[in-house]
Amino acid sequence: MSNSDVIYLFDPLCGWCYGAAPMLDKLATSGVSVELLPTGLFSGAGARPMDEGFAAHAWANDQRIERLTGQAFTLAYHHNVLGIRGTLLDSHAATLGISAAGLEDPSRRWTALKAIQRARYVDGRDIVTVEGVAAVLAGAGMMDAAAILKSPTETLLTWHLELVNRGRALFHRLHANGVPSLAVIRNEAPRLIGSNALFGSFDNLVAHIAAA
């Protein structure tokens, strides 16, 4: 796999992306180069209100993800995130925070994503506002990212838009049907790895990547 790069398409408010985190960790620590690209799936036109119906649907789905992956979806998340009405499921602030974290060092996108996912699904914290995301980043030791998120520079906004546009373009080019999705770039051509490979054995995932 040394001659291939892997691109991970994600959204920070995607429960399945949180479920896939341990597998992505294994992939990264095994020496595979993984680039994170956000798709903006739950931002802009994809944002939606946290109403009773959606909350119930999300919780049922989350329980399935927990059984499959062992990733915890706590009662704090159920009460303080899914249980609060009048809020939006909007990943813009979280995605911008991830872009801010990786502005100088792309590897910090993964660190920021995991901190944001843990804050939401384990600690039941707000990650749909700039203030909430900035607090998570600061708590993870990324004070610089928290500061630039609260007062975004033109450089950050341009870079963020470029990342999201790249993620969306690749998502559509691959005809992916959702996130998380993995693409192997071989000879400059992307090849889609079925998302199911992220929820089986690690050896199976490695075999899919090698065969792509």
Side-chain angles (χ1 to χ4, degrees), residues 133-165:
V133 176
V136 172
L137 292 175
M142 291 181 274
M143 303 293 294
D144 56 333
I148 198 173
L149 173 61
K150 289 192 281 189
S151 299
T153 60
E154 196 62 39
T155 300
L156 171 60
L157 295 176
T158 300
W159 175 237
H160 171 69
L161 187 60
E162 182 181 323
L163 284 178
V164 174
N165 284 343

PDB file of all heavy atoms in Angstrom, residues 133-165:
ATOM      1  N   VAL A 133     -17.347  24.745  19.448  1.00  0.00           N
ATOM      2  CA  VAL A 133     -16.217  24.087  18.788  1.00  0.00           C
ATOM      3  C   VAL A 133     -14.901  24.683  19.268  1.00  0.00           C
ATOM      4  O   VAL A 133     -13.928  23.954  19.516  1.00  0.00           O
ATOM      5  CB  VAL A 133     -16.343  24.189  17.251  1.00  0.00           C
ATOM      6  CG1 VAL A 133     -15.105  23.594  16.569  1.00  0.00           C
ATOM      7  CG2 VAL A 133     -17.597  23.480  16.773  1.00  0.00           C
ATOM      8  N   ALA A 134     -14.846  25.998  19.408  1.00  0.00           N
ATOM      9  CA  ALA A 134     -13.622  26.662  19.880  1.00  0.00           C
ATOM     10  C   ALA A 134     -13.242  26.153  21.264  1.00  0.00           C
ATOM     11  O   ALA A 134     -12.061  25.928  21.557  1.00  0.00           O
ATOM     12  CB  ALA A 134     -13.809  28.178  19.894  1.00  0.00           C
ATOM     13  N   ALA A 135     -14.235  25.939  22.130  1.00  0.00           N
ATOM     14  CA  ALA A 135     -13.962  25.424  23.478  1.00  0.00           C
ATOM     15  C   ALA A 135     -13.386  24.013  23.420  1.00  0.00           C
ATOM     16  O   ALA A 135     -12.476  23.667  24.182  1.00  0.00           O
ATOM     17  CB  ALA A 135     -15.245  25.441  24.310  1.00  0.00           C
ATOM     18  N   VAL A 136     -13.894  23.197  22.494  1.00  0.00           N
ATOM     19  CA  VAL A 136     -13.383  21.832  22.339  1.00  0.00           C
ATOM     20  C   VAL A 136     -11.940  21.856  21.843  1.00  0.00           C
ATOM     21  O   VAL A 136     -11.076  21.135  22.357  1.00  0.00           O
ATOM     22  CB  VAL A 136     -14.269  21.026  21.362  1.00  0.00           C
ATOM     23  CG1 VAL A 136     -13.632  19.677  21.046  1.00  0.00           C
ATOM     24  CG2 VAL A 136     -15.663  20.814  21.952  1.00  0.00           C
ATOM     25  N   LEU A 137     -11.671  22.698  20.852  1.00  0.00           N
ATOM     26  CA  LEU A 137     -10.314  22.785  20.309  1.00  0.00           C
ATOM     27  C   LEU A 137      -9.333  23.283  21.367  1.00  0.00           C
ATOM     28  O   LEU A 137      -8.227  22.748  21.503  1.00  0.00           O
ATOM     29  CB  LEU A 137     -10.292  23.722  19.093  1.00  0.00           C
ATOM     30  CG  LEU A 137     -11.045  23.221  17.850  1.00  0.00           C
ATOM     31  CD1 LEU A 137     -11.050  24.297  16.768  1.00  0.00           C
ATOM     32  CD2 LEU A 137     -10.445  21.934  17.306  1.00  0.00           C
ATOM     33  N   ALA A 138      -9.752  24.293  22.119  1.00  0.00           N
ATOM     34  CA  ALA A 138      -8.885  24.824  23.184  1.00  0.00           C
ATOM     35  C   ALA A 138      -8.610  23.746  24.220  1.00  0.00           C
ATOM     36  O   ALA A 138      -7.473  23.588  24.701  1.00  0.00           O
ATOM     37  CB  ALA A 138      -9.529  26.047  23.833  1.00  0.00           C
ATOM     38  N   GLY A 139      -9.631  22.984  24.570  1.00  0.00           N
ATOM     39  CA  GLY A 139      -9.461  21.913  25.544  1.00  0.00           C
ATOM     40  C   GLY A 139      -8.551  20.803  25.058  1.00  0.00           C
ATOM     41  O   GLY A 139      -7.960  20.078  25.850  1.00  0.00           O
ATOM     42  N   ALA A 140      -8.434  20.673  23.727  1.00  0.00           N
ATOM     43  CA  ALA A 140      -7.558  19.658  23.135  1.00  0.00           C
ATOM     44  C   ALA A 140      -6.151  20.203  22.897  1.00  0.00           C
ATOM     45  O   ALA A 140      -5.331  19.539  22.259  1.00  0.00           O
ATOM     46  CB  ALA A 140      -8.149  19.157  21.822  1.00  0.00           C
ATOM     47  N   GLY A 141      -5.895  21.404  23.408  1.00  0.00           N
ATOM     48  CA  GLY A 141      -4.568  21.983  23.294  1.00  0.00           C
ATOM     49  C   GLY A 141      -4.312  22.752  22.017  1.00  0.00           C
ATOM     50  O   GLY A 141      -3.175  23.133  21.734  1.00  0.00           O
ATOM     51  N   MET A 142      -5.378  22.992  21.251  1.00  0.00           N
ATOM     52  CA  MET A 142      -5.229  23.716  19.982  1.00  0.00           C
ATOM     53  C   MET A 142      -5.777  25.138  20.122  1.00  0.00           C
ATOM     54  O   MET A 142      -6.767  25.524  19.490  1.00  0.00           O
ATOM     55  CB  MET A 142      -5.921  22.947  18.857  1.00  0.00           C
ATOM     56  CG  MET A 142      -5.212  21.644  18.524  1.00  0.00           C
ATOM     57  SD  MET A 142      -5.966  20.694  17.170  1.00  0.00           S
ATOM     58  CE  MET A 142      -7.202  19.780  18.080  1.00  0.00           C
ATOM     59  N   MET A 143      -5.116  25.913  20.982  1.00  0.00           N
ATOM     60  CA  MET A 143      -5.549  27.279  21.252  1.00  0.00           C
ATOM     61  C   MET A 143      -5.488  28.137  19.993  1.00  0.00           C
ATOM     62  O   MET A 143      -6.324  29.024  19.794  1.00  0.00           O
ATOM     63  CB  MET A 143      -4.677  27.906  22.341  1.00  0.00           C
ATOM     64  CG  MET A 143      -4.648  27.138  23.647  1.00  0.00           C
ATOM     65  SD  MET A 143      -6.245  27.154  24.509  1.00  0.00           S
ATOM     66  CE  MET A 143      -6.389  28.880  24.931  1.00  0.00           C
ATOM     67  N   ASP A 144      -4.487  27.901  19.153  1.00  0.00           N
ATOM     68  CA  ASP A 144      -4.348  28.681  17.923  1.00  0.00           C
ATOM     69  C   ASP A 144      -5.542  28.456  16.997  1.00  0.00           C
ATOM     70  O   ASP A 144      -6.088  29.403  16.416  1.00  0.00           O
ATOM     71  CB  ASP A 144      -3.042  28.332  17.202  1.00  0.00           C
ATOM     72  CG  ASP A 144      -2.921  26.839  16.899  1.00  0.00           C
ATOM     73  OD1 ASP A 144      -3.514  26.014  17.627  1.00  0.00           O
ATOM     74  OD2 ASP A 144      -2.216  26.494  15.922  1.00  0.00           O
ATOM     75  N   ALA A 145      -5.959  27.202  16.873  1.00  0.00           N
ATOM     76  CA  ALA A 145      -7.107  26.882  16.024  1.00  0.00           C
ATOM     77  C   ALA A 145      -8.385  27.484  16.600  1.00  0.00           C
ATOM     78  O   ALA A 145      -9.232  27.990  15.852  1.00  0.00           O
ATOM     79  CB  ALA A 145      -7.250  25.366  15.890  1.00  0.00           C
ATOM     80  N   ALA A 146      -8.530  27.432  17.927  1.00  0.00           N
ATOM     81  CA  ALA A 146      -9.707  28.018  18.577  1.00  0.00           C
ATOM     82  C   ALA A 146      -9.775  29.517  18.312  1.00  0.00           C
ATOM     83  O   ALA A 146     -10.854  30.055  18.007  1.00  0.00           O
ATOM     84  CB  ALA A 146      -9.665  27.750  20.079  1.00  0.00           C
ATOM     85  N   ALA A 147      -8.636  30.188  18.387  1.00  0.00           N
ATOM     86  CA  ALA A 147      -8.605  31.636  18.191  1.00  0.00           C
ATOM     87  C   ALA A 147      -8.953  32.019  16.758  1.00  0.00           C
ATOM     88  O   ALA A 147      -9.737  32.945  16.521  1.00  0.00           O
ATOM     89  CB  ALA A 147      -7.221  32.181  18.554  1.00  0.00           C
ATOM     90  N   ILE A 148      -8.384  31.294  15.796  1.00  0.00           N
ATOM     91  CA  ILE A 148      -8.631  31.641  14.392  1.00  0.00           C
ATOM     92  C   ILE A 148     -10.050  31.249  13.974  1.00  0.00           C
ATOM     93  O   ILE A 148     -10.649  31.869  13.096  1.00  0.00           O
ATOM     94  CB  ILE A 148      -7.570  31.000  13.469  1.00  0.00           C
ATOM     95  CG1 ILE A 148      -7.562  31.693  12.111  1.00  0.00           C
ATOM     96  CG2 ILE A 148      -7.776  29.521  13.309  1.00  0.00           C
ATOM     97  CD1 ILE A 148      -6.442  31.248  11.194  1.00  0.00           C
ATOM     98  N   LEU A 149     -10.609  30.243  14.629  1.00  0.00           N
ATOM     99  CA  LEU A 149     -12.007  29.875  14.357  1.00  0.00           C
ATOM    100  C   LEU A 149     -12.941  31.003  14.784  1.00  0.00           C
ATOM    101  O   LEU A 149     -13.911  31.316  14.092  1.00  0.00           O
ATOM    102  CB  LEU A 149     -12.365  28.587  15.102  1.00  0.00           C
ATOM    103  CG  LEU A 149     -13.834  28.156  15.044  1.00  0.00           C
ATOM    104  CD1 LEU A 149     -14.280  27.886  13.613  1.00  0.00           C
ATOM    105  CD2 LEU A 149     -14.070  26.933  15.922  1.00  0.00           C
ATOM    106  N   LYS A 150     -12.650  31.617  15.925  1.00  0.00           N
ATOM    107  CA  LYS A 150     -13.512  32.692  16.430  1.00  0.00           C
ATOM    108  C   LYS A 150     -13.357  33.983  15.634  1.00  0.00           C
ATOM    109  O   LYS A 150     -14.277  34.789  15.567  1.00  0.00           O
ATOM    110  CB  LYS A 150     -13.232  32.927  17.918  1.00  0.00           C
ATOM    111  CG  LYS A 150     -13.730  31.788  18.802  1.00  0.00           C
ATOM    112  CD  LYS A 150     -13.729  32.144  20.268  1.00  0.00           C
ATOM    113  CE  LYS A 150     -12.360  32.047  20.876  1.00  0.00           C
ATOM    114  NZ  LYS A 150     -12.397  32.177  22.357  1.00  0.00           N
ATOM    115  N   SER A 151     -12.181  34.187  15.044  1.00  0.00           N
ATOM    116  CA  SER A 151     -11.939  35.364  14.189  1.00  0.00           C
ATOM    117  C   SER A 151     -11.278  34.892  12.902  1.00  0.00           C
ATOM    118  O   SER A 151     -10.070  35.047  12.706  1.00  0.00           O
ATOM    119  CB  SER A 151     -11.035  36.372  14.900  1.00  0.00           C
ATOM    120  OG  SER A 151     -11.629  36.831  16.092  1.00  0.00           O
ATOM    121  N   PRO A 152     -12.067  34.266  12.000  1.00  0.00           N
ATOM    122  CA  PRO A 152     -11.475  33.626  10.836  1.00  0.00           C
ATOM    123  C   PRO A 152     -10.797  34.617   9.888  1.00  0.00           C
ATOM    124  O   PRO A 152     -11.340  35.690   9.615  1.00  0.00           O
ATOM    125  CB  PRO A 152     -12.645  32.930  10.149  1.00  0.00           C
ATOM    126  CG  PRO A 152     -13.877  33.367  10.828  1.00  0.00           C
ATOM    127  CD  PRO A 152     -13.519  34.086  12.080  1.00  0.00           C
ATOM    128  N   THR A 153      -9.630  34.237   9.426  1.00  0.00           N
ATOM    129  CA  THR A 153      -8.897  35.044   8.455  1.00  0.00           C
ATOM    130  C   THR A 153      -9.346  34.669   7.046  1.00  0.00           C
ATOM    131  O   THR A 153      -9.975  33.620   6.834  1.00  0.00           O
ATOM    132  CB  THR A 153      -7.390  34.772   8.568  1.00  0.00           C
ATOM    133  OG1 THR A 153      -7.165  33.370   8.296  1.00  0.00           O
ATOM    134  CG2 THR A 153      -6.858  35.113   9.962  1.00  0.00           C
ATOM    135  N   GLU A 154      -8.999  35.502   6.087  1.00  0.00           N
ATOM    136  CA  GLU A 154      -9.302  35.204   4.689  1.00  0.00           C
ATOM    137  C   GLU A 154      -8.602  33.913   4.259  1.00  0.00           C
ATOM    138  O   GLU A 154      -9.143  33.121   3.496  1.00  0.00           O
ATOM    139  CB  GLU A 154      -8.862  36.367   3.804  1.00  0.00           C
ATOM    140  CG  GLU A 154      -9.459  36.330   2.401  1.00  0.00           C
ATOM    141  CD  GLU A 154     -10.981  36.431   2.398  1.00  0.00           C
ATOM    142  OE1 GLU A 154     -11.545  37.195   3.199  1.00  0.00           O
ATOM    143  OE2 GLU A 154     -11.599  35.695   1.595  1.00  0.00           O
ATOM    144  N   THR A 155      -7.391  33.715   4.798  1.00  0.00           N
ATOM    145  CA  THR A 155      -6.631  32.506   4.477  1.00  0.00           C
ATOM    146  C   THR A 155      -7.381  31.254   4.915  1.00  0.00           C
ATOM    147  O   THR A 155      -7.502  30.279   4.157  1.00  0.00           O
ATOM    148  CB  THR A 155      -5.247  32.535   5.162  1.00  0.00           C
ATOM    149  OG1 THR A 155      -4.535  33.683   4.703  1.00  0.00           O
ATOM    150  CG2 THR A 155      -4.442  31.284   4.851  1.00  0.00           C
ATOM    151  N   LEU A 156      -7.911  31.285   6.153  1.00  0.00           N
ATOM    152  CA  LEU A 156      -8.663  30.129   6.650  1.00  0.00           C
ATOM    153  C   LEU A 156      -9.912  29.890   5.808  1.00  0.00           C
ATOM    154  O   LEU A 156     -10.184  28.751   5.406  1.00  0.00           O
ATOM    155  CB  LEU A 156      -9.062  30.320   8.118  1.00  0.00           C
ATOM    156  CG  LEU A 156     -10.042  29.267   8.668  1.00  0.00           C
ATOM    157  CD1 LEU A 156      -9.454  27.865   8.585  1.00  0.00           C
ATOM    158  CD2 LEU A 156     -10.460  29.594  10.088  1.00  0.00           C
ATOM    159  N   LEU A 157     -10.675  30.932   5.542  1.00  0.00           N
ATOM    160  CA  LEU A 157     -11.934  30.769   4.818  1.00  0.00           C
ATOM    161  C   LEU A 157     -11.697  30.242   3.404  1.00  0.00           C
ATOM    162  O   LEU A 157     -12.447  29.394   2.906  1.00  0.00           O
ATOM    163  CB  LEU A 157     -12.693  32.100   4.774  1.00  0.00           C
ATOM    164  CG  LEU A 157     -13.166  32.615   6.145  1.00  0.00           C
ATOM    165  CD1 LEU A 157     -13.808  33.984   6.007  1.00  0.00           C
ATOM    166  CD2 LEU A 157     -14.145  31.631   6.787  1.00  0.00           C
ATOM    167  N   THR A 158     -10.637  30.735   2.763  1.00  0.00           N
ATOM    168  CA  THR A 158     -10.311  30.268   1.409  1.00  0.00           C
ATOM    169  C   THR A 158      -9.891  28.804   1.436  1.00  0.00           C
ATOM    170  O   THR A 158     -10.325  27.997   0.608  1.00  0.00           O
ATOM    171  CB  THR A 158      -9.180  31.129   0.815  1.00  0.00           C
ATOM    172  OG1 THR A 158      -9.614  32.487   0.767  1.00  0.00           O
ATOM    173  CG2 THR A 158      -8.826  30.675  -0.594  1.00  0.00           C
ATOM    174  N   TRP A 159      -9.030  28.453   2.407  1.00  0.00           N
ATOM    175  CA  TRP A 159      -8.551  27.079   2.534  1.00  0.00           C
ATOM    176  C   TRP A 159      -9.693  26.127   2.873  1.00  0.00           C
ATOM    177  O   TRP A 159      -9.785  25.021   2.321  1.00  0.00           O
ATOM    178  CB  TRP A 159      -7.467  27.037   3.612  1.00  0.00           C
ATOM    179  CG  TRP A 159      -6.952  25.677   3.959  1.00  0.00           C
ATOM    180  CD1 TRP A 159      -6.941  25.094   5.184  1.00  0.00           C
ATOM    181  CD2 TRP A 159      -6.332  24.731   3.077  1.00  0.00           C
ATOM    182  NE1 TRP A 159      -6.370  23.843   5.123  1.00  0.00           N
ATOM    183  CE2 TRP A 159      -5.987  23.592   3.844  1.00  0.00           C
ATOM    184  CE3 TRP A 159      -6.049  24.739   1.710  1.00  0.00           C
ATOM    185  CZ2 TRP A 159      -5.382  22.467   3.289  1.00  0.00           C
ATOM    186  CZ3 TRP A 159      -5.438  23.605   1.153  1.00  0.00           C
ATOM    187  CH2 TRP A 159      -5.109  22.505   1.937  1.00  0.00           C
ATOM    188  N   HIS A 160     -10.567  26.557   3.770  1.00  0.00           N
ATOM    189  CA  HIS A 160     -11.723  25.739   4.155  1.00  0.00           C
ATOM    190  C   HIS A 160     -12.615  25.455   2.951  1.00  0.00           C
ATOM    191  O   HIS A 160     -13.025  24.304   2.721  1.00  0.00           O
ATOM    192  CB  HIS A 160     -12.512  26.463   5.250  1.00  0.00           C
ATOM    193  CG  HIS A 160     -13.818  25.825   5.571  1.00  0.00           C
ATOM    194  ND1 HIS A 160     -13.919  24.600   6.199  1.00  0.00           N
ATOM    195  CD2 HIS A 160     -15.095  26.234   5.330  1.00  0.00           C
ATOM    196  CE1 HIS A 160     -15.201  24.280   6.337  1.00  0.00           C
ATOM    197  NE2 HIS A 160     -15.925  25.243   5.820  1.00  0.00           N
ATOM    198  N   LEU A 161     -12.903  26.494   2.171  1.00  0.00           N
ATOM    199  CA  LEU A 161     -13.757  26.329   0.996  1.00  0.00           C
ATOM    200  C   LEU A 161     -13.111  25.379  -0.005  1.00  0.00           C
ATOM    201  O   LEU A 161     -13.789  24.538  -0.610  1.00  0.00           O
ATOM    202  CB  LEU A 161     -14.009  27.701   0.350  1.00  0.00           C
ATOM    203  CG  LEU A 161     -15.023  27.724  -0.800  1.00  0.00           C
ATOM    204  CD1 LEU A 161     -16.393  27.239  -0.340  1.00  0.00           C
ATOM    205  CD2 LEU A 161     -15.123  29.131  -1.383  1.00  0.00           C
ATOM    206  N   GLU A 162     -11.801  25.481  -0.140  1.00  0.00           N
ATOM    207  CA  GLU A 162     -11.080  24.592  -1.064  1.00  0.00           C
ATOM    208  C   GLU A 162     -11.176  23.140  -0.611  1.00  0.00           C
ATOM    209  O   GLU A 162     -11.415  22.236  -1.426  1.00  0.00           O
ATOM    210  CB  GLU A 162      -9.611  25.015  -1.147  1.00  0.00           C
ATOM    211  CG  GLU A 162      -8.794  24.182  -2.126  1.00  0.00           C
ATOM    212  CD  GLU A 162      -7.333  24.600  -2.162  1.00  0.00           C
ATOM    213  OE1 GLU A 162      -7.054  25.807  -2.062  1.00  0.00           O
ATOM    214  OE2 GLU A 162      -6.479  23.694  -2.274  1.00  0.00           O
ATOM    215  N   LEU A 163     -11.015  22.901   0.702  1.00  0.00           N
ATOM    216  CA  LEU A 163     -11.117  21.539   1.229  1.00  0.00           C
ATOM    217  C   LEU A 163     -12.503  20.951   1.000  1.00  0.00           C
ATOM    218  O   LEU A 163     -12.648  19.817   0.532  1.00  0.00           O
ATOM    219  CB  LEU A 163     -10.805  21.523   2.723  1.00  0.00           C
ATOM    220  CG  LEU A 163      -9.346  21.628   3.162  1.00  0.00           C
ATOM    221  CD1 LEU A 163      -9.263  21.654   4.690  1.00  0.00           C
ATOM    222  CD2 LEU A 163      -8.514  20.489   2.601  1.00  0.00           C
ATOM    223  N   VAL A 164     -13.539  21.723   1.337  1.00  0.00           N
ATOM    224  CA  VAL A 164     -14.912  21.233   1.185  1.00  0.00           C
ATOM    225  C   VAL A 164     -15.239  20.997  -0.287  1.00  0.00           C
ATOM    226  O   VAL A 164     -15.860  19.981  -0.641  1.00  0.00           O
ATOM    227  CB  VAL A 164     -15.919  22.207   1.825  1.00  0.00           C
ATOM    228  CG1 VAL A 164     -17.344  21.763   1.529  1.00  0.00           C
ATOM    229  CG2 VAL A 164     -15.705  22.284   3.339  1.00  0.00           C
ATOM    230  N   ASN A 165     -14.810  21.909  -1.144  1.00  0.00           N
ATOM    231  CA  ASN A 165     -15.066  21.738  -2.577  1.00  0.00           C
ATOM    232  C   ASN A 165     -14.356  20.506  -3.134  1.00  0.00           C
ATOM    233  O   ASN A 165     -14.911  19.774  -3.956  1.00  0.00           O
ATOM    234  CB  ASN A 165     -14.637  22.985  -3.354  1.00  0.00           C
ATOM    235  CG  ASN A 165     -15.618  24.133  -3.186  1.00  0.00           C
ATOM    236  OD1 ASN A 165     -16.749  23.933  -2.761  1.00  0.00           O
ATOM    237  ND2 ASN A 165     -15.190  25.345  -3.503  1.00  0.00           N
TER     238      ASN A 165
END
